[in-house]
C-alpha cells in the first residue's frame, strides 16, 4: 500500500461517504446513460411493434447479438463469486476495498442477463409459456432457476456486509433527501454493533460465500449447456462448461479493473484502492486468462487437428474465412496480448491496467459473438437452394441500440448502488486499520450525540 | 417505345425458335439401335405396367387416342410406326420439348420394355398382347402348422397349363408387403411348396398375414390368397411416448432429474431462507 499508516475512523467514514454526497459531473454520466437507454427504448418499441423483423436474425442465425450479450452478462456477473467468495474464503485481505465493486457488477449484470433473454423474444407477452410448458430436462429451465438464485444470493451478499455500515450512513447522511434516509433506516435491521450481531453477519456471509460457488458454477455451466447439449458443430464440446466459466472470470475481472479505475478517480479514494490493488488484479487476470487460453487451445486445436467434415468449414471460417478478422482480434487483442502485457510491471499500473482491461472486456463481448454466430451460419442439416440472406448475419442498428440499452441499464444499476452505499465496507476497512468494534460503536454514539446537540437548539 | 416493340418482337422470335428447335434430330446410329432382348409377351406386359405409370396420362391408351395432352402422339397410330425401335428408345430416354426424358426414372431394360409394349401394337408385330384373355386361375393354399410350410396349388377353369407359373409369397407389413422368397415356379401339378422363415416378427400373439399371388397378374389374373396365421415371432409393442425419458415432454421427465432438481432447489432455498431469518434475528440480539 502506498499509504501504510493507519487511518483514523473519522477519516475513513469521511472519505467513503463524501462521494455519496458530492455529485459533481455525475449528472453528465446519468444523461449519457439516459440517452443510450432512450435510444434503446425507441428501438425496442419498433421491435415490439414489428417483431424480430427489425433484427438481422433469420431462419438460420436465430441467436445473434442478444444471446451473445446474454452470455457476456452472465459471464461478467460471475466475478462476484470469484472475488468476494473464492478469494474471500481463502482469507485474502486485499480484496476488502474491491469486493463490493465486484458484487455490484454481479447484481447489475446478472439482472440484465435475465432481461436480455426477454429482449430476444419476438412475443415477450408469451413469456409465461416458457414456464407453463417447462421441460425439466431442458438446460433452459435450469438456467432460469439458477439465474434467479444467483440474483437473490448476490443481493444478500451485497446487503449483509452493508448492514454494519448503515449506522455510519445514518449519522453522516442527515443532510440528504428523506427517501435516502428511509432506505438506510429500512436496511439497518436494528444494527447496534454488538458482538452477537457481528457473529451472525459474519456467519451468514460465510454460508452464502460457500453457497454461491456451486450456484455460480451452475449458472455458467448450464448457460454453456444451452449450446453444448446440441450436436451442432462448434458447440458439440465436452469442455464447454469449464471453457465458459474460465472465460467468465476473464470478463468479470477486467470489468472490475475498469470500474476500480473509474471509481478511484471520481471518488478520489486513491489511498483505499491503491496501485497494489491494480497490480494484484492484473496478476489475477493473468492467471484466469492463462486458464482461458488453455481452454481455447483445447477448444480449437482438437477439432482443427482432426478436421472432421463439417468441423472443417467451421474452423476455416474462424481461422481464415468470414470470421477470421474478428476471431484473431478477439483471441490476440483480447486475450493473448493482454496476458503477455500484464506479465510486465509497468502495465499493471492503474491507467495501463484499465486500458488493457477495456480491450479484454471488448474482446470478451465479441468472443461470445464468435461462439454463437458462426455455428448458426451453417445449416444444421444438408440443404439446397438456401437463400444467401440466411447465411449472412450482421446485427442491425436496432439490435445494437437495444444491446447498448441493456449494457447502460446494467451500468445504471451499478451507478445507483455505488451512489447510495459506500463503495467499500467501512467496518471492514476500519478493521484493516486496526480499529475495533468497540471504537466504532463509540464513534457512532458520539456522532449521534453531536447530532442531537445540533438539533436541540 | 420503339425499343420496347423491337425487344418484344425479338423475344417472340426467340421463344418461337425454341419450338422450332423441338424437332427430333436423330442420327442413323440411334435409328438402327436394336433392343437387347427380342420382343416377347412377358416383356411387353412388363412394359405395359410402366407405360400405365408414366406415359398413359398424356399419350392415352394406344389406338384409343384418349391422351390428355393433344400434342402427345397416340402411340398406337399408323403414323407412329414409321419410327424404328431405336428412335422410340431414344425418345423415351432423352425426352423432347414438353415430354421429359426417363433416363433417370427407368432403367435401360425398363425403357426397352416400354418400347416393346408400344411396338406390340404395330400390325407387323409378332406379339399381340391386346388379344390376351386373362385366364381365371384359382389359388388353393394349405398352411401346415407342423413344419410351417406353405403349399400353393393353382387350378384353372379351362384346359390351360398350370405348370411353370411364377408365384409370389409375402407377409403383410406396415408399409407394403415383404417377400419371403424369390418368385417360385409351379410344378406340373401346379403346386409349389415354400418353407416359412422362423424369424419374421408378428404381433403380440405372433399373428401375421400371409399373401400368395401370381407374379404376373396381367397373364394370370388377380386371384390371391390371404390369411392370418400365428407363425411370426411375438413382438411386444412398447409405447415409448408413455415412458419417462430425457427427450419426452415435461410431464414425462425421468424421476431422477426431478429428484435432483427439486433437491437442489429446496436445499438452496432453505439455505437462503435461513440467512434471511438471521437478518431478522439481528434486532433480537442487539443487546447481547
Amino acid at each position: 500500500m502506498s499509504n501504510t499508516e493507519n487511518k483514523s475512523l473519522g477519516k475513513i467514514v469521511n472519505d467513503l461517504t463524501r462521494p455519496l454526497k458530492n455529485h459533481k459531473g455525475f449528472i453528465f454520466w446519468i444523461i449519457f446513460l439516459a440517452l443510450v437507454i432512450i435510444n434503446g427504448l425507441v428501438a425496442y418499441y419498433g421491435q415490439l411493434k414489428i417483431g424480430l423483423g427489425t433484427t438481422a436474425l433469420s431462419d438460420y442465425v436465430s441467436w445473434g447479438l442478444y444471446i451473445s450479450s446474454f452470455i457476456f452478462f452472465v459471464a461478467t456477473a460471475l466475478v462476484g463469486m470469484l472475488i468476494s467468495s473464492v478469494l474471500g474464503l481463502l482469507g485474502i485481505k486485499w480484496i476488502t476495498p474491491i469486493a463490493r465493486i465486484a458484487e455490484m457488477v454481479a447484481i447489475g449484470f446478472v439482472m440484465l442477463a435475465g432481461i436480455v433473454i426477454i429482449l430476444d423474444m419476438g412475443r415477450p407477452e408469451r413469456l409465461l409459456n416458457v414456464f407453463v410448458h417447462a421441460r425439466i430436462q431442458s438446460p433452459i429451465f435450469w438456467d432460469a432457476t439458477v439465474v434467479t438464485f444467483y440474483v437473490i444470493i448476490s443481493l444478500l451478499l451485497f446487503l449483509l456486509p452493508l448492514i454494519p455500515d448503515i449506522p455510519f450512513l445514518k449519522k453522516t447522511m442527515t443532510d440528504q433527501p428523506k427517501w435516502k434516509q428511509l432506505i438506510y433506516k429500512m436496511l439497518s435491521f436494528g444494527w447496534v454493533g454488538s458482538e452477537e450481531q457481528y457473529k451472525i453477519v459474519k456467519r451468514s456471509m460465510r454460508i452464502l460465500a460457500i453457497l454461491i460457488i456451486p450456484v455460480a458454477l451452475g449458472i455458467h455451466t448450464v448457460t454453456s449447456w444451452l449450446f453444448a447439449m446440441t450436436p451442432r458443430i462448434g458447440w458439440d464440446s465436452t469442455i464447454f462448461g469449464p471453457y465458459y466459466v474460465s472465460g467468465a472470470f476473464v470478463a468479470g475481472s477486467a470489468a472490475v479493473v475498469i470500474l476500480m479505475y473509474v471509481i478511484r478517480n471520481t471518488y478520489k479514494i486513491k489511498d483505499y484502492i491503491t496501485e497494489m490493488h491494480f497490480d494484484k488484479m492484473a496478476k489475477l487476470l493473468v492467471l484466469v486468462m492463462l486458464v482461458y487460453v488453455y481452454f481455447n487451445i483445447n477448444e480449437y486445436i482438437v477439432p482443427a487437428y482432426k478436421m472432421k467434415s463439417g468441423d472443417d468449414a467451421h474452423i476455416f471460417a474462424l481461422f481464415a474465412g468470414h470470421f477470421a478478422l474478428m476471431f484473431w482480434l478477439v483471441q490476440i487483442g483480447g486475450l493473448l496480448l493482454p496476458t503477455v502485457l500484464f506479465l510486465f510491471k509497468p502495465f499493471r499500473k492503474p491507467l495501463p491496467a484499465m486500458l488493457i482491461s477495456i480491450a479484454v472486456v471488448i474482446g470478451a463481448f465479441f468472443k461470445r459473438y464468435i461462439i454463437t454466430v458462426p455455428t448458426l451460419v451453417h445449416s444444421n442439416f444438408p440443404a439446397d437452394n438456401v437463400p444467401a440472406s440466411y447465411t449472412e448475419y450482421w446485427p442491425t442498428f436496432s439490435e445494437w441500440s437495444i444491446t447498448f440499452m441493456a449494457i447502460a441499464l446494467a451500468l445504471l444499476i451499478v451507478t445507483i448502488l455505488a451512489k447510495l452505499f459506500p463503495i467499500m465496507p467501512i467496518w471492514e476497512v476500519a478493521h484493516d486499520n486496526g480499529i475495533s468494534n468497540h471504537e466504532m460503536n463509540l464513534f457512532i454514539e458520539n456522532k449521534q450525540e453531536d447530532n442531537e446537540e445540533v438539533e436541540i437548539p | 417505345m420503339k425499343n420496347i416493340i423491337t425487344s418484344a418482337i425479338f423475344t417472340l422470335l426467340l421463344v418461337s425458335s425454341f419450338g422450332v428447335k423441338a424437332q427430333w434430330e436423330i442420327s442413323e446410329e440411334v435409328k438402327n439401335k436394336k433392343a437387347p432382348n427380342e420382343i416377347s409377351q412377358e416383356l411387353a406386359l412388363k412394359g405395359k405396367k410402366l407405360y400405365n405409370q408414366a406415359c398413359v396420362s398424356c399419350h392415352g391408351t394406344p389406338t384409343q387416342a384418349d391422351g390428355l395432352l393433344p400434342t402427345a402422339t397416340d402411340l398406337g397410330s399408323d403414323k407412329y410406326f414409321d419410327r424404328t425401335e431405336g428412335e422410340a428408345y431414344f425418345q423415351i430416354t432423352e425426352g423432347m420439348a414438353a415430354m421429359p426424358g426417363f433416363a433417370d426414372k427407368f432403367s435401360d431394360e425398363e425403357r426397352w420394355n416400354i418400347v416393346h409394349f408400344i411396338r406390340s401394337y404395330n400390325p407387323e408385330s409378332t406379339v399381340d398382347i391386346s388379344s390376351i384373355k386373362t385366364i381365371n386361375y384359382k389359388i388353393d393354399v394349405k398352411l401346415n402348422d407342423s413344419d410351417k410350410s406353405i403349399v400353393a396349388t393353382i387350378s384353372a377353369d379351362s384346359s390351360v397349363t398350370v405348370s411353370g407359373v411364377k408365384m409370389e409369397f409375402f407377409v403383410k407389413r406396415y408399409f407394403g408387403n415383404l417377400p419371403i422368397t424369390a418368385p417360385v415356379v409351379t410344378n406340373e401339378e401346379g403346386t409349389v411348396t415354400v418353407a416359412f422363415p422362423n424369424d419374421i416378427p408378428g404381433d403380440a400373439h405372433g399373428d401375421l398375414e400371409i399373401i400368395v399371388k401370381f407374379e404376373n397378374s396381367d397373364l394370370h389374373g388377380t386371384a390371391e390368397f390371404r390369411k392370418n396365421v400365428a407363425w411370426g415371432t411375438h413382438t411386444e409393442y412398447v409405447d415409448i411416448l408413455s415412458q419417462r425419458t430425457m427427450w419426452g415432454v415435461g410431464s414425462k421427465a425421468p424421476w431422477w432429474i426431478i429428484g435432483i432438481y427439486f433437491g437442489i432447489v429446496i436445499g438452496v432455498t432453505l439455505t437462503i431462507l435461513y440467512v434471511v431469518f438471521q437478518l431478522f434475528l439481528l434486532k433480537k440480539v442487539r443487546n447481547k
Side-chain angles (χ1 to χ4, degrees), chain A residues 135 137 145 192 194 197 203, chain B residues 245-246 248 261 278 282 286:
Chain A
R135 284 179 70 247
Q137 302 98 312
T145 310
V192 292
S194 71
Q197 285 184 324
R203 192 180 59 207
Chain B
T245 53
M246 282 300 278
Y261 177 82
Q278 296 294 308
L282 282 176
R286 62 191 298 173

Side-chain angles (χ1 to χ4, degrees), chain A residues 134-137 141-142 145 149 152-153 156 160 163 189-190 192 194 196-197 200 203-204 207-208 211, chain B residues 245-250 252-253 257-258 261 265 268-269 271-272 274-275 278-280 282-283 285-286 288:
Chain A
R135 284 179 70 247
I136 206 167
Q137 302 98 312
F141 188 67
W142 292 62
T145 310
F149 277 141
I152 295 169
I153 299 173
L156 281 172
L160 277 169
I163 294 170
F189 290 95
V192 292
S194 71
E196 191 69 15
Q197 285 184 324
I200 288 177
R203 192 180 59 207
S204 300
I207 291 171
L208 290 181
L211 180 68
Chain B
T245 53
M246 282 300 278
W247 45 265
V249 292
K252 292 288 176 195
I257 202 172
I258 296 175
Y261 177 82
V265 167
V268 174
T269 309
T271 314
I272 291 173
Y274 174 77
V275 170
Q278 296 294 308
L279 275 179
F280 291 98
L282 282 176
K283 209 166 204 163
V285 300
R286 62 191 298 173
K288 278 187 188 169

Side-chain angles (χ1 to χ4, degrees), chain B residues 59-70:
Chain B
H59 287 283
T61 314
T63 72
Q64 305 292 307
D66 57 358
L68 281 175
L69 199 66

Side-chain angles (χ1 to χ4, degrees), chain A residues 12 74 90 298:
Chain A
I12 294 171
V74 176
L90 287 172
N298 275 281

Side-chain angles (χ1 to χ4, degrees), chain B residues 197-209:
Chain B
N198 279 320
D199 54 354
I200 308 259
D203 64 11
H205 310 291
D207 278 348
L208 41 75
E209 189 180 11

